Short mmCIF file of all heavy atoms in Angstrom, two decimals:
data_model
loop_
_atom_site.label_atom_id
_atom_site.label_comp_id
_atom_site.label_asym_id
_atom_site.label_seq_id
_atom_site.Cartn_x
_atom_site.Cartn_y
_atom_site.Cartn_z
N GLY N 176 5.34 -3.64 1.38
CA GLY N 176 5.08 -3.10 2.70
C GLY N 176 5.78 -1.71 2.93
O GLY N 176 5.28 -0.86 3.65
N SER N 177 6.97 -1.61 2.31
CA SER N 177 7.70 -0.33 2.48
C SER N 177 7.00 0.86 1.85
O SER N 177 7.21 1.99 2.18
CB SER N 177 9.09 -0.48 1.80
OG SER N 177 9.02 -0.61 0.47
N MET N 178 6.05 0.57 0.91
CA MET N 178 5.27 1.62 0.36
C MET N 178 4.24 2.23 1.21
O MET N 178 3.65 3.29 1.00
CB MET N 178 4.48 1.03 -0.88
CG MET N 178 5.39 0.56 -2.17
SD MET N 178 6.36 1.86 -2.86
CE MET N 178 8.01 1.44 -2.33
N LEU N 179 3.96 1.58 2.44
CA LEU N 179 3.03 2.16 3.37
C LEU N 179 3.65 3.29 4.02
O LEU N 179 2.93 4.14 4.62
CB LEU N 179 2.83 1.04 4.41
CG LEU N 179 2.07 -0.09 4.08
CD1 LEU N 179 1.92 -1.14 5.26
CD2 LEU N 179 0.68 0.15 3.56
N ASP N 180 4.94 3.64 3.84
CA ASP N 180 5.59 4.84 4.33
C ASP N 180 5.64 5.84 3.35
O ASP N 180 6.18 7.01 3.62
CB ASP N 180 7.07 4.54 4.83
CG ASP N 180 7.09 3.50 5.98
OD1 ASP N 180 6.29 3.69 6.96
OD2 ASP N 180 7.93 2.57 6.03
N ASP N 181 5.01 5.71 2.18
CA ASP N 181 5.04 6.72 1.12
C ASP N 181 4.36 7.95 1.62
O ASP N 181 3.31 7.85 2.42
CB ASP N 181 4.40 6.19 -0.17
CG ASP N 181 4.79 7.05 -1.37
OD1 ASP N 181 4.09 8.09 -1.53
OD2 ASP N 181 5.76 6.65 -2.07
N LYS N 182 4.66 9.06 1.18
CA LYS N 182 4.05 10.31 1.54
C LYS N 182 2.68 10.53 0.94
O LYS N 182 1.82 11.22 1.42
CB LYS N 182 4.94 11.57 1.09
CG LYS N 182 6.27 11.63 1.85
CD LYS N 182 7.03 12.90 1.47
CE LYS N 182 7.41 12.82 0.02
NZ LYS N 182 8.36 13.97 -0.47
N ASP N 183 2.43 9.89 -0.20
CA ASP N 183 1.23 9.95 -0.98
C ASP N 183 0.11 8.98 -0.47
O ASP N 183 0.43 7.75 -0.40
CB ASP N 183 1.38 9.85 -2.45
CG ASP N 183 0.22 10.12 -3.33
OD1 ASP N 183 0.04 11.38 -3.55
OD2 ASP N 183 -0.53 9.20 -3.66
N ASN N 184 -1.06 9.43 -0.17
CA ASN N 184 -2.12 8.58 0.42
C ASN N 184 -2.49 7.49 -0.66
O ASN N 184 -2.85 6.35 -0.30
CB ASN N 184 -3.27 9.26 0.78
CG ASN N 184 -3.06 9.89 2.27
OD1 ASN N 184 -2.08 9.60 2.84
ND2 ASN N 184 -4.00 10.65 2.63
N SER N 185 -2.47 7.89 -1.94
CA SER N 185 -2.91 6.94 -2.94
C SER N 185 -1.99 5.72 -3.11
O SER N 185 -2.33 4.64 -3.39
CB SER N 185 -3.09 7.62 -4.36
OG SER N 185 -1.83 8.13 -4.76
N VAL N 186 -0.69 5.97 -2.95
CA VAL N 186 0.28 4.99 -2.87
C VAL N 186 0.14 4.00 -1.69
O VAL N 186 0.15 2.83 -1.76
CB VAL N 186 1.76 5.53 -2.81
CG1 VAL N 186 2.79 4.40 -2.83
CG2 VAL N 186 1.94 6.31 -4.13
N LYS N 187 -0.16 4.53 -0.52
CA LYS N 187 -0.46 3.85 0.62
C LYS N 187 -1.75 2.84 0.45
O LYS N 187 -1.64 1.72 0.78
CB LYS N 187 -0.74 4.71 1.82
CG LYS N 187 0.40 5.53 2.44
CD LYS N 187 -0.06 6.26 3.66
CE LYS N 187 1.13 6.99 4.25
NZ LYS N 187 1.37 8.30 3.56
N ILE N 188 -2.79 3.44 -0.16
CA ILE N 188 -3.96 2.74 -0.45
C ILE N 188 -3.68 1.47 -1.38
O ILE N 188 -4.13 0.34 -1.10
CB ILE N 188 -5.02 3.61 -1.00
CG1 ILE N 188 -5.51 4.58 0.05
CG2 ILE N 188 -6.26 2.83 -1.55
CD1 ILE N 188 -6.37 5.78 -0.43
N GLN N 189 -2.95 1.73 -2.41
CA GLN N 189 -2.70 0.68 -3.30
C GLN N 189 -1.74 -0.38 -2.72
O GLN N 189 -1.85 -1.61 -2.99
CB GLN N 189 -2.02 1.26 -4.61
CG GLN N 189 -2.88 2.10 -5.43
CD GLN N 189 -4.18 1.47 -5.90
OE1 GLN N 189 -4.26 0.20 -6.08
NE2 GLN N 189 -5.20 2.14 -6.05
N ALA N 190 -0.82 0.04 -1.84
CA ALA N 190 0.00 -0.86 -1.09
C ALA N 190 -0.80 -1.77 -0.24
O ALA N 190 -0.54 -3.00 -0.08
CB ALA N 190 1.13 -0.16 -0.35
N LEU N 191 -1.76 -1.26 0.44
CA LEU N 191 -2.72 -2.00 1.27
C LEU N 191 -3.48 -3.00 0.46
O LEU N 191 -3.60 -4.17 0.96
CB LEU N 191 -3.66 -0.97 2.08
CG LEU N 191 -3.05 -0.16 3.12
CD1 LEU N 191 -4.06 0.93 3.63
CD2 LEU N 191 -2.60 -1.06 4.36
N ASN N 192 -3.92 -2.58 -0.74
CA ASN N 192 -4.63 -3.56 -1.49
C ASN N 192 -3.73 -4.68 -1.99
O ASN N 192 -4.13 -5.84 -2.09
CB ASN N 192 -5.25 -2.79 -2.72
CG ASN N 192 -6.38 -1.80 -2.39
OD1 ASN N 192 -7.07 -2.02 -1.32
ND2 ASN N 192 -6.56 -0.80 -3.13
N THR N 193 -2.51 -4.37 -2.29
CA THR N 193 -1.62 -5.38 -2.72
C THR N 193 -1.26 -6.35 -1.63
O THR N 193 -1.14 -7.58 -1.83
CB THR N 193 -0.20 -4.71 -3.35
OG1 THR N 193 -0.57 -3.73 -4.28
CG2 THR N 193 0.66 -5.75 -3.84
N LEU N 194 -1.09 -5.83 -0.45
CA LEU N 194 -0.83 -6.73 0.67
C LEU N 194 -1.97 -7.62 1.02
O LEU N 194 -1.85 -8.84 1.37
CB LEU N 194 -0.50 -5.90 1.98
CG LEU N 194 0.85 -5.21 2.01
CD1 LEU N 194 0.97 -4.29 3.27
CD2 LEU N 194 1.94 -6.25 2.00
N LYS N 195 -3.22 -7.05 0.80
CA LYS N 195 -4.35 -7.99 1.03
C LYS N 195 -4.34 -9.09 -0.04
O LYS N 195 -4.73 -10.18 0.23
CB LYS N 195 -5.64 -7.15 0.94
CG LYS N 195 -6.94 -8.01 1.02
CD LYS N 195 -8.17 -7.12 0.90
CE LYS N 195 -9.47 -7.98 1.13
NZ LYS N 195 -9.60 -9.07 0.03
N ALA N 196 -4.03 -8.72 -1.26
CA ALA N 196 -3.99 -9.77 -2.34
C ALA N 196 -3.00 -10.84 -2.00
O ALA N 196 -3.22 -12.07 -2.10
CB ALA N 196 -3.63 -9.10 -3.66
N PHE N 197 -1.73 -10.46 -1.44
CA PHE N 197 -0.77 -11.44 -1.10
C PHE N 197 -1.19 -12.27 0.09
O PHE N 197 -0.72 -13.37 0.28
CB PHE N 197 0.58 -10.77 -0.82
CG PHE N 197 1.42 -10.52 -2.08
CD1 PHE N 197 1.76 -9.23 -2.57
CD2 PHE N 197 1.88 -11.58 -2.70
CE1 PHE N 197 2.52 -9.06 -3.67
CE2 PHE N 197 2.73 -11.44 -3.82
CZ PHE N 197 3.07 -10.23 -4.35
N SER N 198 -2.06 -11.67 1.01
CA SER N 198 -2.44 -12.39 2.27
C SER N 198 -3.29 -13.59 1.83
O SER N 198 -3.51 -14.42 2.79
CB SER N 198 -3.21 -11.38 3.16
OG SER N 198 -4.51 -11.09 2.64
N GLY N 199 -3.79 -13.58 0.69
CA GLY N 199 -4.56 -14.82 0.25
C GLY N 199 -3.75 -16.04 -0.03
O GLY N 199 -4.31 -17.09 -0.26
#
């Protein structure tokens, strides 16, 4: 979740995908 504060949008996008995977 801390990666959502990254300056790079690609990192934010991958962090969102990872959180979705864990939400399962």
Side-chain angles (χ1 to χ4, degrees):
S177 67
M178 296 293 109
L179 296 177
D180 294 317
D181 197 277
K182 294 181 295 183
D183 190 81
N184 280 351
S185 64
V186 176
K187 293 186 177 77
I188 292 170
Q189 294 302 330
L191 290 167
N192 292 334
T193 305
L194 288 174
K195 180 181 180 295
F197 274 115
S198 70

